[in-house]
């Protein structure tokens, strides 16, 4: 009995080590910096996370990579959401995390009574960063689907994500937010929304941001109420919070995937099938994907 338990424990440990080793080696991270000439050569850094095998397939013109755009919270760096980027990468996406804030940017100030409490300029800047980064990434990785973006964000980055979807629904495939507090949910659109909400007295959602339940059901909006703090929703947060969000996000992506298993009822019995087979096996669906490309302004690249 003891020997059996020991063997089981050893197998479990080996499985865990194998999983984390595979995850580490399966995903490639790269940081590029582009310079926007239309905004005084403003630097826009991006962190790319992509599965190596999917990237190779995209480079060989075998697939087109789906694209996820990750947007960080106020004063948080773009590299602090790897727990989200890795979920998308493991699902076959090319994840692009964008640095929106610069040290030279004016601080975000709350102005009660103004649109989005005075934060619209930051959201518009974020939308401009996304559009610019996407155009540059087309040169780096042309085999990616930049016309159907999954837009993801936390806090101010979640508001940027929702604002982008509001302004560019034609480019938005789905939206994932972690505690957007200012910009109301887009309703009545063709894309679905998944939103994680914190339980934090210091971060209150503005009135009118979250629509009523009946509107959410009609618009394909799923709201997940968590017990986590607002700032738990990034790499520095507790493992429990990150693992919970990863699990629900992975399930959401599985449900959205064109490759997910489809339940098919068996055909009724045929007494006289004739000269042809009763039914034809369904051909496997081709997989979607995307790839990374070089910037028009000679990006500075660092591996990590």
């Amino acid at each position: 009995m003891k020997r059996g338990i020991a063997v089981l424990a050893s197998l479990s440990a080996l499985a865990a080590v194998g999983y984390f080793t595979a995850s580490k080696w399966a995903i490639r991270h790269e940081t590029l910096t582009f310079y926007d000439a239309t905004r005084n050569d403003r630097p826009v850094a991006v962190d790319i996370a992509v599965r190596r095998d999917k990237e190779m397939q995209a480079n060989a013109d075998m697939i087109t990579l789906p694209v996820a755009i990750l947007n960080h919270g106020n004063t948080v760096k773009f590299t602090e959401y790897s727990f989200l980027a890795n979920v998308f990468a493991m699902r076959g996406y090319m994840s692009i995390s964008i640095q929106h804030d610069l040290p030279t940017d004016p601080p975000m100030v709350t102005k009660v009574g103004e649109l989005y409490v005075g934060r619209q300029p930051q959201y518009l800047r974020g939308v401009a960063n996304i559009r610019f980064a996407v155009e540059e990434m087309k040169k780096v990785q042309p085999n990616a689907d930049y016309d159907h973006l999954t837009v993801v964000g936390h806090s101010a980055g979640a508001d940027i994500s929702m604002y982008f979807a509001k302004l560019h629904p034609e480019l938005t495939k789905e939206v994932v937010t972690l505690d957007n507090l200012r910009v109301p949910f887009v309703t009545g659109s063709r894309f679905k929304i998944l939103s994680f909400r914190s339980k934090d007295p210091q971060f209150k959602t503005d009135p009118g941001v979250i629509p009523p339940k009946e509107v959410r059901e009609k618009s394909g909006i799923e709201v997940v109420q968590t017990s986590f703090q607002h700032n738990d929703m990034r790499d520095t947060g507790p493992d429990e919070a990150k693992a919970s969000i990863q699990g629900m996000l992975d399930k959401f992506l599985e449900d959205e995937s064109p490759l997910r298993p489809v339940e098919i009822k068996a055909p009724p019995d045929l007494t006289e099938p004739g000269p042809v087979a009763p039914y034809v096996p369904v051909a496997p669906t081709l997989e979607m994907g995307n790839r990374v490309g070089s910037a028009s302004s000679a990006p500075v690249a660092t591996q990590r």
Side-chain angles (χ1 to χ4, degrees):
M1 181 67 177
K2 290 182 179 179
R3 182 183 177 186
I5 295 174
V7 170
L8 181 61
S10 298
L11 290 174
S12 299
L14 286 172
V17 171
Y19 172 78
F20 287 114
T21 301
S23 299
K24 177 181 178 181
W25 289 106
I27 299 174
R28 184 181 72 83
H29 282 264
E30 181 181 13
T31 299
L32 302 174
T33 300
F34 306 116
Y35 295 89
D36 189 350
T38 66
R39 293 185 291 168
N40 299 316
D41 285 334
R42 179 186 177 89
V44 179
V46 299
D47 181 74
I48 303 160
V50 62
R51 258 175 58 176
R52 296 175 187 274
D53 60 331
K54 295 298 182 182
E55 184 179 34
M56 290 176 64
Q57 292 174 28
N59 290 341
D61 293 327
M62 297 172 62
I63 64 170
T64 303
L65 295 167
V67 177
I69 302 293
L70 272 61
N71 304 292
H72 62 84
N74 185 38
T75 72
V76 183
K77 291 186 177 181
F78 68 126
T79 53
E80 293 187 48
Y81 295 91
S82 63
F83 84 103
L84 295 176
N86 288 340
V87 172
F88 283 100
M90 289 303 293
R91 276 274 166 197
Y93 286 69
M94 180 174 66
S95 172
I96 306 171
S97 302
I98 302 174
Q99 179 63 45
H100 291 294
D101 304 336
L102 299 177
T104 53
D105 290 335
M108 185 179 288
V109 178
T110 300
K111 298 178 181 178
V112 178
E114 293 191 16
L115 187 61
Y116 310 127
V117 294
R119 298 183 178 183
Q120 188 183 30
Q122 281 82 8
Y123 302 156
L124 287 171
R125 183 181 67 207
V127 170
N129 288 339
I130 294 173
R131 295 299 304 271
F132 173 69
V134 164
E135 290 304 311
E136 294 302 299
M137 285 301 303
K138 288 178 180 179
K139 306 164 190 175
V140 176
Q141 177 53 281
N143 290 342
D145 187 0
Y146 299 103
D147 295 327
H148 304 89
L149 301 173
T150 297
V151 194
V152 189
H154 170 233
S155 192
D159 284 314
I160 290 173
S161 300
M162 195 65 71
Y163 201 56
F164 178 90
K166 175 184 173 67
L167 296 182
H168 298 288
E170 77 284 357
L171 298 176
T172 305
K173 176 187 172 185
E174 54 207 2
V175 181
V176 180
T177 71
L178 290 77
D179 245 13
N180 56 304
L181 305 177
R182 312 293 183 185
V183 179
F185 285 65
V186 178
T187 59
S189 296
R190 60 177 177 79
F191 52 81
K192 291 186 177 182
I193 299 174
L194 172 66
S195 182
F196 297 93
R197 316 305 303 177
S198 72
K199 188 177 182 181
D200 193 328
Q202 300 299 318
F203 293 86
K204 297 291 187 180
T205 306
D206 286 351
V209 169
I210 304 176
K213 183 178 180 181
E214 58 272 16
V215 176
R216 300 199 303 264
E217 290 177 348
K218 290 181 180 179
S219 299
I221 299 172
E222 183 177 354
V223 172
V224 179
Q225 300 290 347
T226 75
S227 59
F228 310 130
Q229 298 290 298
H230 180 83
N231 288 325
D232 288 345
M233 298 177 170
R234 60 185 202 235
D235 284 352
T236 55
D239 291 340
E240 178 188 1
K242 291 182 290 186
S244 177
I245 292 171
Q246 284 177 318
M248 285 182 275
L249 174 58
D250 188 64
K251 179 63 169 61
F252 175 76
L253 296 176
E254 179 182 6
D255 290 343
E256 291 294 296
S257 172
L259 300 178
R260 69 188 180 93
V262 178
E263 207 174 297
I264 303 175
K265 293 183 179 180
D269 293 335
L270 300 178
T271 55
E272 296 182 6
V276 297
Y279 64 95
V280 179
V282 178
T285 306
L286 292 178
E287 185 173 358
M288 293 287 292
N290 288 334
R291 124 187 178 105
V292 184
S294 82
S296 60
S297 46
V300 178
T302 59
Q303 296 283 349
R304 64 180 180 80

